[in-house]
Each structure stands twice: as C-alpha cells, then as structure tokens.
Amino acid sequence: MPEARSEGIAELYARHVADAGRLAYFLVGDTRLAEDMVQDAFIRVFARWQHLRNPDAFWAYLCRTLVNLSRKHFRRQRVERAFLLRHGGSQDVAGDAPPDAAGRDELWRALQTLPTRQRTALVLRFFADLSESQTADLMRCSVPAVNSLVARGLVSMRSLIPAEEE
C-alpha cells in the first residue's frame, strides 16, 4: 500500500520525525536549529501535499526540503558574517555540542570544516544511506558530481582525523 495514501499526517510525522531530526542535525550541527528546520520542513511539505507529483515519496520530499533549508541557513550565515566583519563585530556562531562518546566530537568538527556541498553529500550518502542517484536528485546535480563531492569530502575528513592505531 502506498505510504502517503495509507497514512495520515500524524502517522507520517511520527514515522519520520526522528530520522528527519538526525538528518537536519548532521546538515547544520545545531540541535535547536535542526529541530526548527524539521518543523519547518514538515509544514512546507504538508502545505504542498495536494501539489506533489508523487505523494508516496514523502521521505524524499522531506529530505529535499531539509537540504534546501540547510543551504538557506548557511547562505544567510555567510551574509551575516560578512556584515559583521565589515562592521567590526564578532563572527562566532555557536552550535550545540552533541552529548556523545569520544571521537564523535572530533568527527563532527571535521565534518563542519567541509564546504556545504561536500558535507551534504557525505551526510546524504552515509548517514541517510541514500544511493548516488538519490543523492544527486536531492542535491540537484549529476551522479559524477556526487561521487566527486563524496571523494573530496572523504579525503578531507581523512586528513583531519588521524587513523586509530591498533
């Protein structure tokens, strides 16, 4: 039975909110911002429900919306930082530190140093476990571009995080 037609809005929300929250957190690195983005993404997707080409692909629409919202956030952040630099303000933008095991903070810091598109490609491929073509669709680029972004991102991550010695 198709996902969207067999479930109501409340069921879709309950089913996807945790995964959407994790995806948003990995995209932006701030718990509160991620929560706000998830709520905004659900509202946007549900508001356009009648106009979706394939209502059964709810998760794909939600992921695409989260990627777009994260891009918008980082674009706005760059503009704000440029303004602050021009006017002598501070450019610190604090994010939440995840309360996790050792090593996760290091991984997170390394992930945050990557350009937005590389970080997005890595998160979609390895966290969201999307295929190359699904990632390309969400990022609106070609599969070779996704492969290139992932490869460059992994090289950067490996240079930033030393290999564990056994």
Side-chain angles (χ1 to χ4, degrees):
M1 194 172 254
E3 166 186 325
R5 294 196 176 111
S6 66
E7 295 180 273
I9 291 174
E11 290 84 13
L12 282 170
Y13 180 84
R15 184 167 137 188
H16 294 291
V17 70
D19 289 335
R22 283 188 292 274
L23 176 61
Y25 177 78
F26 279 115
L27 289 170
V28 297
D30 181 306
T31 304
R32 282 171 274 163
L33 177 60
E35 290 170 356
D36 288 345
M37 278 179 44
V38 167
Q39 299 307 314
D40 195 19
F42 272 102
I43 290 168
R44 288 173 186 231
V45 173
F46 288 140
R48 296 201 33 82
W49 190 259
Q50 302 297 333
H51 306 289
L52 298 179
R53 281 182 280 173
N54 182 4
D56 298 330
F58 179 79
W59 176 245
Y61 287 115
L62 189 63
C63 286
R64 178 76 216 145
T65 303
L66 286 169
V67 167
N68 286 340
L69 289 171
S70 71
R71 282 183 181 166
K72 181 179 177 182
H73 165 74
F74 287 114
R75 213 175 12 250
R76 185 178 327 112
Q77 196 175 56
R78 278 192 305 274
V79 170
E80 289 171 358
R81 284 182 178 165
F83 175 83
L84 290 173
L85 285 173
R86 278 193 310 271
H87 298 338
S90 168
Q91 72 177 45
D92 281 346
V93 178
D96 290 337
D100 279 350
R104 184 175 241 183
D105 289 338
E106 183 178 21
L107 177 66
W108 178 246
R109 281 190 298 275
L111 191 61
Q112 289 304 298
T113 65
L114 298 178
T116 303
R117 287 182 52 82
Q118 285 180 16
R119 181 177 53 250
T120 301
L122 288 174
V123 168
L124 292 174
R125 286 287 288 130
F126 299 112
F127 167 74
D129 199 29
L130 298 180
S131 70
E132 294 166 341
S133 62
Q134 290 170 320
T135 301
D137 287 343
L138 285 175
M139 293 184 70
R140 294 192 174 139
C141 64
S142 66
V143 170
V146 167
N147 291 336
S148 177
L149 290 166
V150 168
R152 288 192 319 254
L154 289 175
V155 166
S156 295
M157 294 288 288
R158 286 183 186 117
S159 71
L160 294 169
I161 301 174
E164 291 184 23
E165 296 182 27
E166 296 181 28

